[in-house]
Structure formats: C-alpha cells, structure tokens
Amino acid sequence: MQLFEHFPLKDRHTFHIDAFARYWADFDSVEALRSVLKDPRFATLPKLAVGGGSNLLFTGNYEGLLLHSTIQDLEFIPDGASMVRVRAGSGLCWDDLVEATVRRGWCGLENLSGIPGNVGASPVQNVGAYGAEAKDCIVSVEAMDVHTLEMHTLSNADCRFGYRDSRFKKEWKDRFIICYVTFSLSKEFKPNIRYGELTRHLEEQGGVTLEGVRQVILNTRAAKLPDPEVLGNAGSFFMNPEIPNEQWERLRTRYPDMPHWLLENGRVKVSAAWCIDKAGWKGKRLGNAAVHDKQALVLVNVGGATAGEVTALCEQIVQEVEGMFGIRLKPEVLFI
Ligand SMILES: Cc1cc2nc3c(=O)[nH]c(=O)nc-3n(C[C@H](O)[C@H](O)[C@H](O)COP(=O)(O)OP(=O)(O)OC[C@H]3O[C@@H](n4cnc5c(N)ncnc54)[C@H](O)[C@@H]3O)c2cc1C
C-alpha cells in the first residue's frame, strides 16, 4: 500500500484539470484496502474509489481519501466445454483485459475494446459500446463495504445494471470499493456486429474474426475520439436521453432526421450528439473548454481549462438543448 498526502490529480484524470486530493492511497490487495480503511486518520473523511479517472471531472480539490486499486490478478477458470470465467483485479487496465481475452480467442468483450479506464469501474457505469455492455458478461463483482470492511460477492442481478447505470451509482454510491470482477466468456465466436459501420469495415477487411472486430473498433475509435493525452476529455460527456414515445412522435414531425432507437420499454432513445450539433454547439469554445469539432458529445480541455469553464459549457448546452427540444441532457461524467 502506498499513501500520499496533498496529491496532484492533474495526471490522474483524463480531463487533466489541476486539483489536489488531501490523501491518495494505492492498494494492491483486499488486505491492503482493509488496513487503509481501518486507519483512524481517515475515519471521518469522505472516501472515493478512483480508477483511471476517465469518467470524472474534479471540480475542486478533494478533501478526503481517494482509493486507487492496483490489484492486477488475472485468473482463468474453465466453465464447461464452451465457456470460461475470467476473474480480473480491479486495478487492471480495461483494454489490457480485453486484449488478453481476445488473444486467447475468447468472445464477449471485443466490442468494448479501447474504452479507457480500469476493470474496477466497468460495473459502476456498465461500460458499453458498439451494441455491447459489460453487464452482458459480468457474473459477479467482489467488493468491500467501506463501513463494515467485509467483502461481498454481488451477482449480476444484484447490481441492477442499466444503460450506463448500476446500483453502484445509486443506493450503493460511496459504499463499495470493487476489488475483483468476474466475467463469463465464450470460446465460440459469436459476432455481435449489429452496427452497420462495423459490418462495412469488416467486409472491407475480408471477413469477420474476433481479432478483426477488435482491430476495426480500435481503428474506428481512434479516428473518431480525441486522445485524452493530447486533448483532455472524458469521452461522451452526456448520456443519450430516453424520452416517452409521445414526445418522440411530436419531435419527429419537426426533426425527421433525428437519430433514434426504439427501446423495448416503449421509450425512445435519441442521439445527444445530434441535439448538441443541431443546437449549434459543435466546435464551439467557452474559455479553454470546447465541444469537440468532430464529436459533439465530447467536451474537451483545449489547454489550461478550469473545471468552472467545463461546467459552464455543460450548463449552457443543457439549457439550450432543453429550450430547443424539451429534452434535458444528463451528464455521463461524474462531477467530484
Ligand atoms: C476517450 C474516452 C472514450 C470513452 N469511451 C467510452 C465508451 O465507449 N463507453 C463507455 O461506457 N465509457 C467510455 N468512456 C468513459 C470511461 O472510460 C468509462 O466510464 C470507464 O469505465 C471509467 O473507468 P475509470 O477506471 O477511468 O474510472 P473513473 O473515471 O476513475 O471512475 C468512474 C466511476 O467508477 C468508480 N470507481 C472506479 N473504480 C472503482 C472501484 N475499484 N470500486 C468502486 N468504484 C470505482 C468511481 O468512483 C466513479 O464513480 C470513455 C472515456 C474517454 C476518456
């Protein structure tokens, strides 16, 4: 375990905005985590788990203890003839896990290639991309209750996963520190390429293979999304809103080209990026914060942005999109 005081956060979150944490602890095992949490110095301080900081915006200094997992274990457990279970430490880089499973020919995580961050955060917001979500493969999550210091094994059903959502963001917020996540993967390749864009690229490549899907997704992401090491950002800043069908029926008469997806629950998901673009925000700048010029869903730090500038930009977009479409955008990024 390593403990730091007055710890700089600029390189610990992908927006790269200046801020400090009163304490930062790296823990590499369940026992190390328990010993930090037992330390009386931290008893009354707020505590938060942080992974790669790719879904966070620090709006000021953090006057508490940030807990960063460096648990790197990776265990493969046979599960019948056609399946395998993978138990991964929360401190592993997410894409290293995806790469390791694809290399072994195991199917399930390939569409989630290239998502920044660590394994521990994957169940929190149920990471998703290209028609797949972490919940499709998660079997269980092993996490420590910060109050009782007991470990719990939480099943997929316990976590109540939803679109970029889980109980870790609701009633379990600030309660659990995730140490391991177990995934169930298939040894048979069952491609999930509902996205037309993927199919086209794979056809150009001459066929659909597990490695091919990963590579096409990595290339597509690199072409579309700004690299946080070059231009600070946290990926999609807003979630795609889900609206009632009646509202969609009214909107479609006015905006027939609005991208949308009909959901099983009768609601309609619409594209937040399209709304932001239509409201004229794509490429616009406010101080040193801006809307990316290729992807309207991504807010960027063009250099030296303050959290206040990013927040102000976010608020103005929310207001204008609401005024224009009657839809209130919700940030996907967590404000700390
Ligand atoms: C360029 C870019 C592209 C992105 N693309 C996608 C995408 O396609 N799909 C997608 O879903 N997301 C995407 N994201 C968002 C982000 O990568 C994911 O949300 C990722 O899972 C965050 O991981 P992290 O380790 O950085 O978590 P952090 O940002 O550090 O934390 C996120 C949340 O998880 C909690 N958390 C982290 N670790 C633990 C732990 N061990 N125990 C308990 N709670 C924990 C934190 O408290 C916080 O609430 C993108 C981000 C960027 C910068």
Side-chain angles (χ1 to χ4, degrees):
M1 199 272 289
Q2 281 197 298
L3 182 69
F4 303 90
E5 209 172 335
H6 194 59
F7 188 78
L9 297 172
K10 191 171 178 175
D11 293 327
R12 295 300 190 140
H13 68 134
T14 56
F15 255 111
H16 298 299
I17 286 172
D18 268 328
F20 285 82
R22 179 149 169 216
Y23 293 105
W24 172 284
D26 287 323
F27 61 93
D28 59 4
S29 67
V30 169
E31 269 324 303
L33 172 61
R34 193 170 278 127
S35 83
V36 192
L37 291 173
K38 270 186 187 162
D39 190 320
R41 276 177 297 175
F42 311 128
T44 57
L45 290 181
K47 297 169 191 72
L48 180 77
V50 174
S54 60
N55 205 33
L56 303 176
L57 175 67
F58 286 101
T59 56
N61 293 337
Y62 186 74
E63 296 299 336
L65 171 67
L66 293 180
L67 293 154
H68 178 243
S69 168
T70 59
I71 303 176
Q72 301 279 322
D73 310 332
L74 189 55
E75 195 184 341
F76 306 128
I77 308 150
D79 183 17
S82 61
M83 302 298 288
V84 63
R85 290 196 173 188
V86 176
R87 180 174 180 258
S90 52
L92 280 166
C93 163
W94 172 261
D95 195 54
D96 288 352
L97 169 68
V98 178
E99 195 270 334
T101 59
V102 169
R103 186 160 24 92
R104 287 171 172 81
W106 299 337
C107 169
L109 301 181
E110 62 281 2
N111 286 29
L112 306 177
S113 291
I115 297 180
N118 295 350
V119 167
S122 60
V124 176
Q125 78 147 4
N126 177 26
V127 288
Y130 295 99
E133 289 180 311
K135 76 165 172 54
D136 305 336
C137 295
I138 290 176
V139 177
S140 60
V141 176
E142 291 163 67
M144 186 178 290
D145 184 320
V146 295
H147 305 298
T148 63
L149 307 192
E150 274 171 24
M151 286 297 289
H152 292 254
T153 299
L154 309 159
S155 71
N156 181 305
D158 289 336
C159 297
R160 293 197 201 135
F161 292 117
Y163 165 59
R164 301 294 181 276
D165 200 18
S166 72
R167 283 172 95 181
F168 298 105
K169 289 175 86 172
K170 294 180 170 153
E171 69 264 38
W172 288 348
K173 195 167 179 296
D174 302 329
R175 177 170 166 199
F176 286 115
I177 309 291
I178 296 168
C179 294
Y180 293 95
V181 185
T182 298
F183 301 88
S184 174
L185 304 178
S186 168
K187 292 185 190 168
E188 285 162 28
F189 179 39
K190 300 172 202 148
N192 170 7
I193 46 170
R194 278 171 286 155
Y195 268 65
E197 195 187 5
L198 282 191
T199 324
R200 191 162 29 84
H201 286 304
L202 285 161
E203 277 164 7
E204 280 162 18
Q205 224 179 239
V208 183
T209 63
L210 187 59
E211 270 291 349
V213 171
R214 171 167 165 80
Q215 212 43 60
V216 162
I217 287 175
L218 288 176
N219 296 344
T220 311
R221 294 181 68 96
K224 271 193 183 169
L225 292 167
D227 176 354
E229 291 318 304
V230 179
L231 208 53
N233 74 88
S236 304
F237 199 90
F238 298 101
M239 292 197 269
N240 285 322
E242 293 179 9
I243 58 172
N245 193 44
E246 310 80 70
Q247 188 180 3
W248 162 244
E249 289 299 338
R250 284 195 304 274
L251 280 169
R252 74 185 299 182
T253 54
R254 197 143 174 220
Y255 305 107
D257 57 338
M258 184 186 262
H260 64 284
W261 302 268
L262 304 178
L263 302 176
E264 280 166 14
N265 59 10
R267 290 168 72 85
V268 181
K269 191 189 276 188
V270 296
S271 162
W274 186 92
C275 295
I276 296 167
D277 191 1
K278 196 82 179 167
W281 279 95
K282 198 174 187 175
K284 265 200 188 166
R285 188 169 165 164
L286 199 78
N288 289 323
V291 180
H292 192 243
D293 53 4
K294 288 202 198 113
Q295 171 51 274
L297 207 48
V298 179
L299 304 194
V300 295
N301 170 4
V302 296
T306 61
E309 286 173 331
V310 179
T311 310
L313 180 61
C314 162
E315 281 168 2
Q316 288 198 24
I317 292 171
V318 169
Q319 266 182 25
E320 288 198 16
V321 166
E322 189 167 24
M324 198 162 165
F325 304 103
I327 296 174
R328 190 157 181 88
L329 295 179
K330 279 199 205 133
E332 183 178 316
V333 169
L334 192 74
F335 289 64
I336 310 285

